[in-house]
Amino acid sequence: MPFIAALIGYVTKRVAIEMMFRPVEFVGVKPFLGWQGVLPANAERMASTATEMLTTNLVDPKEIFARLDPAQVAKEIEEPLLDVVEDVTREVMETYQPRLWEVLPTGAQQLLLKRVQAEAPRAITKIMREIAANIEDVLDLKHMVVTNLVRDKALLNRLIRDISKPEMQFIARSGIVFGFVLGCVQLLVWTFTKSPIVLPLFGLGIGWFTDWLALKMIFLPREPKRFFGVYTWQGVFQKRRDQVAADYGDMIAREIITVPNLLEAVLRGPKSDRLFTMITREVQKTIDAQASVVKPFVAIAVGTKRFQEMKQAAATQAAHRVPETIRHAENYAVNALDVRNTIVDRMRRLTPLEFEQLLRPAFRQDEWKLIAVGAVIGGLVGELQALVLLH
C-alpha cells in the first residue's frame, strides 16, 4: 500500500503538471467536453499578468531607449540610409517631372543629392532623440508583449515552464515522499478496519493533499523558516531567486523584448502612425533646408503647388523606408539596450511577494482543477486497489 500510494502521489503530480501546459489548443468538443492546458487556455490573462510585472517592476521603456546614442545609430545605418535618400529623391523627381530631372544639369543633380545625403544622418539623429524622449508616443510595450505571447502560446508555455523546471520536478518527486508516508497511515487503518472504503478514500485524499501541499511548498514560506527547531524550509521558488532572475532575463531578452520585436511594434503597432508623422515632419524640414539650391528651377518648371506635392511625396516615402534601415543597427541596439541585465538586476531587488507574482498567477486561478484531477485519479487508483485486494 505505501508503494502504491507513492505511485499515486507521483502520477497525480505528473498529470497535473502536464495539464497546465498541454494541449496547447483545445482538444475535444467545445465548450466543456475536452481540455486545453491551463496556461494556453488563459493565454491573454497570463500574458497580461506577466506584462504588468515587466512594465511595472522590471523594464522602463524610456530608461531603456535613453541608452541608445542617436549619433551612433545614425553612424550604424549611414550606408543604407544614403541609398534610401538617393532612391527616394530620384523616384519622386522621375514620378512628378521625369523630364525635369533629366534636363537638370548633372552638377545640380549631384549637388542636391549630396546635400540631402549629408543632412540625412543629422536628421536621423534628431529623429532618434525625439523618439527616445517620447517613446511612449510611438511604442506600446504592453501591447507588444501581450500580442506576442497570445499569438504564440507555445512561447508562453516555455516562459513559465523553463523558469520553473526545478519547481515542477519538486512537485513530482514530493508526490512520491508524501504518498509513501500517507500510504503507511493507510496501511495501518486498513490493518485495523479491513474496510474497502478506506482505499479509495485514502487514494482520493493522497491525490488531493499531496497536490495542495506541493503547490504551497513551492512558494511558502517566502523567507527561510525554522520548523520544530531542527529543520529550515523556504519556498523552492523563493530559494532560487538568483537563478530564476538569470533564466527569466535571458528568455525575455532572447525571445520577447528583442530588437526585431520592438521595431515591429514601433513600425506596425497601434501607435505607428505617430512615428510616421514624426519622421515625415523632420524629413520635410530637411527638404526645405536643403532643396533651396534647385527650388527655383523646380518651382518654375512645375509650379509651387506641384512642388509642395513633390515634397510631401518625398517625406512620405522616406517615412516608410527610413525605419527599415534601423534594422542595420540591430547588433549595436542589442548591446546598448541591455534588456537582459536590466531585468536580472531589477528582479533581484523585488520583495519576496513581488517575486512570487512572477510564477504564482500561473497556478492560482485554476489550481483547484489540478488538485481536483489529482484527487479523482487517486480515488480511482484506490478503488482499483480495493477491487484487487477483495478478489
Side-chain angles (χ1 to χ4, degrees), residues 19 30 44 107 113 153 239:
M19 289 179 69
K30 290 187 175 182
E44 189 165 351
L113 287 173
K153 297 183 179 68
K239 196 173 182 178

Side-chain angles (χ1 to χ4, degrees), residues 48 63 65 79 100 121 125 143 171 184 209 215 229 243 299 316 388:
S48 297
E63 177 194 346
F65 276 84
E79 187 174 336
L100 175 63
T125 300
H143 179 272
I171 289 175
C184 292
F209 180 73
L215 287 172
Q243 185 59 50
T316 301
V388 170

Side-chain angles (χ1 to χ4, degrees), residues 8 12 182 186 197-211 371-383:
I8 293 173
T12 56
L182 292 174
Q186 178 188 34
I197 196 66
V198 167
L199 299 177
L201 282 179
F202 262 86
L204 188 147
I206 291 169
W208 175 83
F209 180 73
T210 56
D211 277 11
I371 294 172
V373 168
V376 170
I377 293 174
L380 292 174
V381 174
E383 182 65 28

Side-chain angles (χ1 to χ4, degrees), residues 40 202 337 367 375:
F202 262 86
L337 296 177
E367 69 181 25

Side-chain angles (χ1 to χ4, degrees), residues 206-391:
I206 291 169
W208 175 83
F209 180 73
T210 56
D211 277 11
W212 174 84
L213 184 60
L215 287 172
K216 292 298 179 185
M217 291 180 71
I218 287 178
F219 302 104
L220 301 173
R222 297 186 180 100
E223 300 285 358
K225 187 175 180 180
R226 201 163 183 80
F227 292 89
F228 310 111
V230 294
Y231 185 71
T232 302
W233 181 261
Q234 182 183 15
V236 178
F237 190 62
Q238 295 285 357
K239 196 173 182 178
R240 285 198 320 115
R241 172 186 288 254
D242 286 350
Q243 185 59 50
V244 170
D247 293 343
Y248 192 75
D250 281 339
M251 188 161 190
I252 294 295
R254 188 177 64 248
E255 298 202 50
I256 298 177
I257 304 183
T258 64
V259 172
N261 283 351
L262 289 170
L263 281 173
E264 182 73 15
V266 168
L267 296 177
R268 297 182 175 82
K271 297 183 178 181
S272 59
D273 57 324
R274 301 178 189 178
L275 172 71
F276 289 111
T277 298
M278 189 184 299
I279 296 175
T280 300
R281 184 174 65 247
E282 190 57 43
V283 171
Q284 286 184 328
K285 289 180 183 178
T286 303
I287 293 174
D288 282 336
Q290 301 303 317
S292 57
V293 67
V294 293
K295 187 174 180 178
F297 296 102
V298 180
I300 292 171
V302 302
T304 303
K305 183 178 179 182
R306 189 71 165 166
F307 176 73
Q308 292 299 323
E309 291 177 2
M310 293 171 64
K311 186 173 72 171
Q312 179 61 40
T316 301
Q317 284 198 38
H320 283 84
R321 292 186 59 180
V322 165
E324 293 296 329
T325 66
I326 303 295
R327 298 185 188 278
H328 292 270
E330 182 173 335
N331 291 334
Y332 163 72
V334 169
N335 293 324
L337 296 177
D338 199 20
V339 173
R340 187 262 181 198
N341 289 328
T342 299
I343 291 175
V344 172
D345 180 59
R346 296 285 169 78
M347 282 184 67
R348 288 172 176 166
R349 298 185 202 171
L350 296 175
T351 66
L353 182 58
E354 289 172 336
F355 185 74
E356 179 181 313
Q357 298 310 306
L358 190 68
L359 185 61
R360 190 74 173 100
F363 295 90
R364 180 176 286 118
Q365 183 164 321
D366 295 293
E367 69 181 25
W368 69 269
K369 294 179 183 178
L370 306 178
I371 294 172
V373 168
V376 170
I377 293 174
L380 292 174
V381 174
E383 182 65 28
L384 180 62
Q385 188 180 12
L387 290 173
V388 170
L389 286 174
L390 292 173
H391 295 85

Side-chain angles (χ1 to χ4, degrees), residues 85 89-90 101 104-119 290-294 297:
V85 169
T89 303
R90 292 183 182 279
W101 183 250
L104 273 177
T106 302
Q109 290 182 5
Q110 293 302 315
L111 181 60
L112 174 62
L113 287 173
K114 286 179 180 179
R115 289 190 64 168
V116 176
Q117 286 177 332
E119 186 63 20
Q290 301 303 317
S292 57
V293 67
V294 293
F297 296 102

